Amino acid sequence: EAGVAQSPRYKIIEKRQSVAFWCNPISGHATLYWYQQILGQGPKLLIQFQNNGVVDDSQLPKDRFSAERLKGVDSTLKIQPAKLEDSAVYLCASSLGGFGSGYTFGSGTRLTVV
Amino acid sequence: GENVEQHPSTLSVQEGDSAVIKCTYSDSASNYFPWYKQELGKRPQLIIDIRSNVGEKKDQRIAVTLNKTAKHFSLHITETQPEDSAVYFCAASIAGTYKYIFGTGTRLKVLA
């Protein structure tokens, strides 16, 4: 099966600029997650979608981060304005959503804010 | 809130030796525990998982054990090979959800 697609792979921006990341999950996977992975740490959940609805965005810094999943398929994550501490790898993952459904991660977008 | 602790943070073993990585979790209602392997610059990949109704699961050279009473679970890799070198993450499900809390990772180096 095709994997989770993410783009771009790398992005360098200046602080206070905006940036957007795109994710296309595995076909048929109802649940989609965005994780932030800071260098040397484990992935931290930012937001979870079930189809096109938000299930959990409690860890999303909503003053600067936003995400949407139109039509229950592709998703975009936006940061506006970016801060230095936003430098991280942003991982998208999808799953069937049932109990014991392991995630399939995308390759991630490495964001560097300078 | 829910928390997963993972030890050690780094582990070096000689090729052919065994490696053990341990995790503890705080939510007694967690019922699913996946392990992910992340090679440098690549995505985390699921390598093995265990559900709370099972105490041990094995897949070739890797095995996972779960002690629900102590809220511990461990990854065991036998006959390690250089290609096992990577960062390994444990995770625990959050009760009532399909979300996982990840550990901080263990960087495993297998020395040839």
Side-chain angles (χ1 to χ4, degrees):
Chain A
E1 64 181 3
V4 176
Q6 285 189 250
S7 68
R9 284 298 311 275
Y10 305 94
K11 190 73 177 179
I12 301 174
I13 62 172
E14 295 182 349
K15 59 183 179 184
R16 291 187 288 275
Q17 286 188 322
S18 63
V19 64
F21 314 128
W22 173 81
C23 172
N24 178 243
I26 291 174
S27 177
H29 279 195
T31 310
L32 184 148
Y33 311 82
W34 283 101
Y35 276 82
Q36 179 192 58
Q37 187 176 22
I38 293 173
L39 188 64
Q41 299 182 17
K44 172 191 160 189
L45 180 68
L46 293 175
I47 189 167
Q48 176 190 359
F49 291 94
Q50 181 74 17
N51 296 310
N52 61 346
V54 175
V55 174
D56 182 0
D57 63 358
S58 57
Q59 300 298 309
L60 189 72
K62 299 182 190 62
D63 57 333
R64 299 184 300 106
F65 286 64
S66 64
E68 60 182 7
R69 189 183 184 196
L70 298 176
K71 301 180 182 178
V73 182
D74 293 3
S75 177
T76 55
L77 176 70
K78 296 179 182 178
I79 307 175
Q80 182 179 13
K83 293 185 176 181
L84 296 176
E85 58 261 36
D86 297 333
S87 295
V89 175
Y90 290 84
L91 293 163
C92 178
S94 70
S95 77
L96 288 170
F99 170 67
S101 295
Y103 296 167
T104 299
F105 282 96
S107 297
T109 297
R110 182 177 297 278
L111 173 67
T112 302
V113 183
V114 297
Chain B
E2 298 89 357
N3 185 47
V4 174
E5 293 188 0
Q6 184 171 349
H7 301 281
S9 57
T10 60
L11 178 60
S12 294
V13 299
Q14 289 294 133
E15 183 178 0
D17 287 351
S18 296
V20 180
I21 302 170
K22 299 181 179 181
C23 289
T24 59
Y25 59 98
S26 60
D27 185 357
S28 57
S30 293
N31 56 10
Y32 176 68
F33 307 91
W35 285 88
Y36 288 83
K37 175 183 180 182
Q38 187 174 28
E39 296 177 66
L40 188 63
K42 297 190 176 180
R43 73 189 76 186
Q45 293 196 298
L46 179 69
I47 56 171
I48 196 167
D49 55 16
I50 191 166
R51 301 185 181 194
S52 58
N53 59 347
V54 175
E56 183 173 357
K57 183 176 177 181
K58 189 172 182 180
D59 182 3
Q60 299 183 343
R61 295 187 299 107
I62 59 173
V64 58
T65 58
L66 172 65
N67 182 330
K68 285 190 298 182
T69 303
K71 293 190 281 188
H72 287 171
F73 58 113
S74 299
L75 178 71
H76 304 252
I77 306 174
T78 58
E79 300 172 25
T80 53
Q81 301 167 3
E83 52 265 38
D84 294 330
S85 296
V87 178
Y88 291 81
F89 291 99
C90 63
S93 63
I94 300 172
T97 77
Y98 303 138
K99 297 180 294 186
Y100 310 141
I101 295 286
F102 283 82
T104 49
T106 296
R107 182 174 299 279
L108 173 65
K109 292 183 183 179
V110 180
L111 307 171

